[in-house]
Amino acid sequence: MEGNLKIDISETNRGKEQIIIDRKFKYNFSKLKKDNTKIYKCTEYKTLNKCKSFIILNDHKEVLNYDSSHNHPGNEINVSKSLIKHKIKDEIKKSLIPSDIKSKLIFDKISQEIGYICPEYKTIKTQITRYKNKQLFPNVKTFDEVPNVSEYYKTIRGEYFMIFKNSNKIIFQSPFQAKLFMENKHIFADGTFLIAPTNSYQVFITRTYVTELNCFYTTSILLMTKKNKLCYKEVKDHNILNTYYNAISNLCFINIEYIPDIFNKIKNTCKIYESTYSQFLIFLDYFEKTFLNIYNIKYWNYYNNIDVMKWFLPINLKINT
């Protein structure tokens, strides 16, 4: 069977290598062994499906071992979308002038090669445009080129700003923003991957409400080069705690009446494994103090403002059992 496999090379949204088998199943890189062979796990491994399927390849992308025991159907549309995005990004990467690339023309050509199972261009247009914009080289291309010394710099418009930097973060802030940051107790932060430049992982923007201006005002912009994954590394191989870890981010979509009971269930379960999962428990203590005690839940909960999506139900059921 392994000799008949159709293997395509693609990439994740974050640029990591991805293996596609028979244009139905996607596998993300998991581990590099001592003999330089690579293990790839089905992308459904980290979902509620917990799919055990994996594939091992050598340096020449030859199959050494393949476990095809999927517990879910293949998703040809999703796979086709990944393939097309990868091929278009590859063409953009090769171009000396990325802005001149006609993404739609490339899409039309590739979609004919893939066949009838192909997504519409509008489903990938935003991601392709964002990727194209990231290829436009800024004056500063690497993290190390950003100066370490905190001093005033000027924007093109002649406005002063300062840079604060450590091994993982860069903060940009003007004198006025710094003044607001110090004088206001309540600072709101929001993170996004969408506008992060190529030499960073994520962008955080802090804001505060300014009464005199009658609006929220940005107080700083922060670039992160990597993400702290201490909690995730602790719980990723523990089925129950990994489910609870993912459930925390979904509390903003759950009925407020149920949140205290759900959180207590998560925390009490984590206490059983306190000696092994201390980082997750530290995070839960912080979350409880900040978002359940200091701030009213209604300020960050969206349950009454959106239609609750069906994919939250399995998590709720898992927690309540």
Side-chain angles (χ1 to χ4, degrees):
M1 179 181 175
E2 293 175 5
N4 298 325
L5 292 177
K6 179 172 177 55
I7 299 179
D8 290 290
I9 309 298
S10 182
E11 64 181 31
T12 66
N13 288 332
R14 296 180 184 174
K16 301 298 178 69
E17 188 179 52
Q18 188 174 77
I19 303 298
I20 291 177
I21 301 297
D22 293 334
R23 299 205 167 172
K24 291 183 179 179
F25 302 101
K26 299 193 294 186
Y27 293 77
N28 288 345
F29 173 75
S30 175
K31 184 179 180 182
L32 178 66
K33 300 175 72 175
K34 291 182 179 179
D35 58 0
N36 284 330
T37 57
K38 295 180 179 180
I39 301 175
Y40 299 82
K41 291 185 178 182
C42 177
T43 52
E44 292 293 311
Y45 169 71
K46 293 183 179 180
T47 68
L48 292 175
N49 288 323
K50 299 292 181 186
C51 181
K52 302 297 183 182
S53 177
F54 67 88
I55 188 168
I56 301 177
L57 306 178
N58 62 17
D59 289 341
H60 304 291
K61 294 295 184 285
E62 296 171 332
V63 181
L64 302 180
N65 193 3
Y66 177 48
D67 181 343
S68 60
S69 56
H70 294 278
N71 60 357
H72 58 93
N75 190 334
E76 294 175 323
I77 289 290
N78 186 265
V79 166
S80 296
K81 184 186 292 187
S82 294
L83 271 176
I84 288 178
K85 284 193 297 183
H86 171 64
K87 290 179 182 293
I88 295 177
K89 286 179 179 180
D90 200 43
E91 291 296 323
I92 294 173
K93 203 180 296 182
K94 293 176 185 176
S95 174
L96 295 175
I97 310 177
S99 58
D100 287 349
I101 288 287
K102 306 299 181 184
S103 305
K104 182 63 166 63
L105 295 178
I106 300 175
F107 172 85
D108 292 339
K109 180 182 177 182
I110 296 172
S111 59
Q112 290 177 8
E113 296 173 2
I114 289 180
Y116 72 96
I117 300 177
C118 184
E120 294 183 39
Y121 178 68
K122 64 182 180 181
T123 63
I124 64 170
K125 181 179 178 181
T126 301
Q127 288 176 301
I128 294 300
T129 302
R130 189 189 312 138
Y131 181 81
K132 189 190 297 185
N133 291 337
K134 283 189 175 185
Q135 305 311 305
L136 302 177
F137 296 109
N139 293 330
V140 176
K141 300 176 184 177
T142 66
F143 183 81
D144 292 334
E145 288 181 59
V146 177
N148 290 312
V149 182
S150 295
E151 59 182 68
Y152 282 118
Y153 297 89
K154 271 189 178 184
T155 66
I156 294 175
R157 294 183 295 181
E159 298 169 333
Y160 285 102
F161 70 95
M162 290 189 74
I163 295 175
F164 306 91
K165 177 185 174 186
N166 64 17
S167 59
N168 181 39
K169 302 177 185 70
I170 305 173
I171 300 175
F172 301 91
Q173 197 173 50
S174 71
F176 180 62
Q177 289 174 326
K179 183 173 184 292
L180 290 177
F181 197 92
M182 289 187 295
E183 292 179 351
N184 288 274
K185 237 192 250 184
H186 303 294
I187 302 293
F188 303 89
D190 186 26
T192 177
F193 300 100
L194 300 184
I195 61 173
T198 51
N199 53 14
S200 67
Y201 176 82
Q202 191 174 12
V203 174
F204 270 91
I205 301 172
T206 62
R207 296 182 177 89
T208 190
Y209 184 77
V210 183
T211 307
E212 294 81 0
L213 301 176
N214 192 29
C215 67
F216 282 93
Y217 195 91
T218 299
T219 52
S220 68
I221 296 176
L222 180 150
L223 300 183
M224 292 181 63
T225 59
K226 58 186 177 181
K227 192 173 184 180
N228 188 329
K229 294 186 176 181
L230 289 176
C231 289
Y232 171 71
K233 288 178 180 178
E234 273 192 350
V235 304
K236 67 185 177 80
D237 294 322
H238 192 291
N239 287 343
I240 296 176
L241 292 184
N242 189 42
T243 300
Y244 289 169
Y245 171 83
N246 293 323
I248 289 292
S249 61
N250 294 324
L251 291 180
C252 57
F253 302 105
I254 294 173
N255 191 320
I256 291 178
E257 296 178 7
Y258 304 141
I259 289 178
D261 289 338
I262 293 174
F263 181 82
N264 288 335
K265 171 69 175 176
I266 293 173
K267 189 172 181 181
N268 290 336
T269 303
C270 189
K271 284 181 177 178
I272 298 174
Y273 309 98
E274 182 173 358
S275 59
T276 311
Y277 301 95
S278 58
Q279 291 295 329
F280 188 34
L281 192 58
I282 290 172
F283 165 73
L284 291 176
D285 287 337
Y286 165 78
F287 184 90
E288 182 177 26
K289 178 182 176 182
T290 305
F291 296 102
L292 299 186
N293 296 336
I294 296 179
Y295 291 103
N296 194 313
I297 296 176
K298 69 180 182 181
Y299 293 148
W300 53 263
N301 185 272
Y302 299 99
Y303 178 79
N304 292 322
N305 298 325
I306 64 169
D307 294 325
V308 180
M309 293 168 279
K310 292 181 179 179
W311 60 278
F312 289 116
L313 294 179
I315 294 176
N316 293 337
L317 293 173
K318 188 87 174 178
I319 291 174
N320 290 327
T321 55

